Amino acid sequence: MAVSVPIEEAQVRTNASNYLGRHILAEFFECDSNILNNPKLVEEYMVEAALECGATIVQKCFHLFSPYGVSGVIIISESHLAIHTWPELGYAAVDLFTCGEQCDPKVAYEFLKKAFGSKDTSYSQLNRGILDNKNLSVEHTPFCIKSQY
């Protein structure tokens, strides 16, 4: 069931751009395996990344797998940050999804690159919820790939 929001409130919740949120899909290669297999450190770095990018943390959950690997998510008022690690490969896959202009997911990406000791990284930025500003609605089109590095 669709929820109706008054136009004035909808305008406040969107940003000045033509999309609702930025979603960075990041790949971290050749990371410190000891960090990637430590749920306390992974959580600490993810929390710091959220705060560095201007997010408001709502809740967090992290899990250590056996024999190794960490998965976790931080729910933020602006959306979420999520991670899955493969310490045996020195690899981490990270999603950084933020809405609004106050949060910059690229700041979180740069922070995590250093925190994990990654020797190589890449990311794609997707713009999510493409807006039709003329009709004050979300276009029925897939996300737009903003950039890839």
Side-chain angles (χ1 to χ4, degrees):
M1 175 178 193
V3 176
S4 176
V5 177
I7 291 175
E8 297 80 21
E9 184 179 342
Q11 289 170 335
V12 170
R13 293 177 54 195
T14 63
N15 59 37
S17 304
N18 65 338
Y19 53 86
L20 294 174
R22 293 176 283 178
H23 195 165
I24 287 183
L25 305 174
E27 310 260 275
F28 295 90
F29 306 98
E30 299 179 57
C31 299
D32 183 328
S33 293
N34 292 317
I35 292 171
L36 296 186
N37 202 44
N38 184 324
K40 289 183 191 268
L41 275 180
V42 170
E43 179 178 340
E44 177 184 322
Y45 292 151
M46 291 290 286
V47 165
E48 287 182 43
L51 296 174
E52 285 287 321
C53 79
T56 304
I57 296 172
V58 175
Q59 192 171 12
K60 55 192 175 171
C61 180
F62 287 81
H63 178 76
L64 174 64
F65 290 96
S66 179
Y68 30 70
V70 175
S71 288
V73 64
I74 298 178
I75 305 300
I76 59 176
S77 294
E78 301 80 7
S79 194
H80 70 272
L81 285 73
I83 186 168
H84 304 283
T85 73
W86 286 261
E88 72 277 20
L89 301 173
Y91 171 77
V94 179
D95 290 4
L96 307 164
F97 189 6
T98 64
C99 301
E101 296 293 324
Q102 277 37 2
C103 255
D104 186 351
K106 287 183 188 172
V107 171
Y109 167 80
E110 292 296 334
F111 177 87
L112 292 172
K113 182 172 24 173
K114 291 176 188 166
F116 296 151
S118 181
K119 292 187 174 87
D120 190 21
T121 62
S122 67
Y123 74 86
S124 298
Q125 179 179 316
L126 311 176
N127 290 343
R128 308 284 304 269
I130 307 303
L131 295 173
D132 177 348
N133 290 325
K134 180 180 165 194
N135 296 320
L136 291 173
S137 63
V138 177
E139 293 181 7
H140 291 225
T141 58
F143 53 79
C144 171
I145 297 177
K146 165 76 170 135
S147 56
Q148 289 185 307
Y149 297 96

